[in-house]
Amino acid sequence: MAAGEPLARHTTLRIGGPADFFVEPETETALRALLSLCREYGVDVHFLGQGSNVLVPDEGVRGVVLTTRRLFNRCTFAGTEVTVGSGYALGRLVQLSLERGLGGLEPLAGIPGTVGGAVFMNAGTAAGTIGDRLVWARLLDLAGEESLLSREEMGFGYRTSRLQQEPGRLVAEVRLRLEEAPQVSADLLRAAAARRRRTQPLSYPNAGSIFRNPPGDYAGRLIEAVGAKGLAVGGAQISPLHANFIVNTGGATAADVLELMRIARGLVRERFGLTLVPEIRLFGAPAGTLERRLDEGGGETGGTLPD
Ligand SMILES: Cc1cc2nc3c(=O)[nH]c(=O)nc-3n(C[C@H](O)[C@H](O)[C@H](O)COP(=O)(O)OP(=O)(O)OC[C@H]3O[C@@H](n4cnc5c(N)ncnc54)[C@H](O)[C@@H]3O)c2cc1C
């Protein structure tokens, strides 16, 4: 357990103030004891995966930030099914499956993060999501009660799951159903990585897509169309390569990112009458807080465009 741990160390954007306590339990007994203590003393608990889809506020997060990367980190194949812990790296799972001649997870190739984060977000691409493959998810609530939810019960949708509406439940492990696919090779992973390197600003810290794509369109296209591509506030910039990515070019704060999001969203709303919905999560804040923060503030458009 670390007190005052800077969360910037644990997010792919490299932004975020301290957590009161940062805990990586190594046994389920320790995890349950921690949850029980937090409940007894009324301490908030927040779950973090690899931090690849979150914006952590500059003021940090009160209470306990918990990661399962040391605890639920096993992966067991049986026939065409795999049972995998929430702390397991998604990329490693995709690779191992392909090595075993099992297909179904190819749409997830190149997506960073843990299995738990992927299930919470229903991570994927237009070709498919992790939810498509889920048989069940074992969850633990803050009282230490366990439940097993089927795919239907998980309420998966575009970059969402039931867990987003009903927070306070930790994904412990999941079972996924794959399929025999001996012809799928590691070339596929190389091609996916090359495609991402070409189209995404991977040389800068980022958190993937900032906004969800609206039906029938792309958030990146809309942000580019309003001239916000390349716009910078402090150390944050709307990527000149992909307008739905915000990159940390050095020393960016969460406030810089929020301001850029507010500007881009405001311009798109003004021009297209459409309100972009954030894909990234404001870590440690109740659902809806990010949208409210983006709706606040003046209507002016700050930021600077590169020459
Ligand atoms: C370069 C880049 C490219 C990306 N491309 C894609 C893409 O193509 N498709 C896509 O869908 N996403 C993409 N993402 C976003 C991100 O990688 C995924 O959403 C990923 O699944 C998040 O996993 P994580 O472990 O990092 O979760 P985190 O960012 O740590 O957490 C995300 C949310 O999940 C919750 N959470 C995490 N673990 C658990 C758990 N065990 N139990 C309960 N809740 C939990 C957190 O509280 C948080 O609200 C990309 C990100 C980057 C940086």
Side-chain angles (χ1 to χ4, degrees):
M1 157 142 33
E5 173 75 1
L7 290 178
R9 289 185 191 155
H10 302 279
T11 65
T12 55
L13 254 176
R14 299 281 171 257
I15 289 176
D20 287 346
F21 298 101
F22 183 78
V23 191
E24 299 181 87
E26 292 186 20
T27 65
E28 204 160 326
T29 311
L31 168 67
R32 285 173 186 277
L34 174 75
L35 292 177
S36 148
L37 267 180
C38 288
R39 203 160 45 108
E40 191 178 337
Y41 290 97
V43 175
D44 287 339
V45 181
H46 312 278
F47 310 130
L48 187 67
Q50 198 191 317
S52 65
N53 210 39
V54 292
L55 180 64
V56 177
D58 298 316
E59 61 274 21
V61 176
R62 305 291 67 84
V64 167
V65 172
L66 190 155
T67 164
T68 61
R69 290 171 70 180
R70 288 203 183 159
L71 168 58
F72 298 121
N73 60 3
R74 254 177 255 134
C75 174
T76 314
F77 287 87
T80 55
E81 293 192 336
V82 57
T83 305
V84 59
S86 59
Y88 204 80
L90 186 65
R92 179 92 187 106
L93 173 66
V94 175
Q95 189 185 345
L96 269 187
S97 306
L98 288 180
E99 281 170 13
R100 287 171 172 259
L102 294 172
L105 297 179
E106 304 88 295
L108 306 179
I111 302 180
T114 61
V115 167
V119 169
F120 182 93
M121 295 303 303
N122 193 21
T125 55
T129 69
I130 193 160
D132 298 341
R133 293 285 153 189
L134 191 123
V135 180
W136 51 251
R138 182 164 76 88
L139 309 175
L140 273 179
D141 69 17
L142 297 176
E145 294 292 328
E146 221 175 87
S147 51
L148 208 62
L149 264 60
S150 66
R151 180 173 64 218
E152 292 70 30
E153 290 170 320
M154 284 292 287
F156 290 117
Y158 170 52
R159 297 299 170 270
T160 190
S161 70
R162 174 177 174 179
L163 302 180
Q164 295 185 16
Q165 281 75 53
E166 299 169 21
R169 288 208 274 187
L170 175 73
V171 179
E173 60 178 352
V174 299
R175 178 164 297 169
L176 306 175
R177 184 163 297 141
L178 310 180
E179 59 204 32
E180 304 276 357
Q183 75 284 7
V184 180
S185 78
D187 287 348
L188 191 141
L189 296 185
R190 277 191 286 276
R195 197 168 47 247
R196 282 177 183 267
R197 273 197 305 274
R198 235 184 8 257
T199 57
Q200 300 180 353
L202 302 183
S203 49
Y204 288 104
N206 70 80
S209 294
I210 292 293
F211 295 104
R212 294 180 185 171
N213 288 322
D217 212 331
Y218 295 96
R221 187 195 76 79
L222 296 168
I223 296 169
E224 189 171 349
V226 298
K229 201 174 190 181
L231 195 71
V233 171
Q237 185 184 30
I238 295 182
S239 165
L241 183 62
H242 189 319
N244 198 23
F245 276 58
I246 290 180
V247 293
N248 179 355
T249 57
T253 62
D256 295 340
V257 173
L258 282 171
E259 181 60 6
L260 273 181
M261 288 179 73
R262 194 184 65 74
I263 294 170
R265 190 166 174 263
L267 290 170
V268 168
R269 185 189 268 166
E270 211 174 277
R271 165 101 175 265
F272 296 103
L274 189 153
T275 302
L276 291 174
V277 176
E279 178 171 324
I280 58 165
R281 315 284 304 170
L282 187 61
F283 192 68
T289 310
L290 179 52
E291 278 92 334
R292 271 197 303 284
R293 299 259 314 250
L294 295 178
D295 285 334
E296 286 163 5
E300 80 288 357
T301 55
T304 51
L305 276 168
D307 299 330

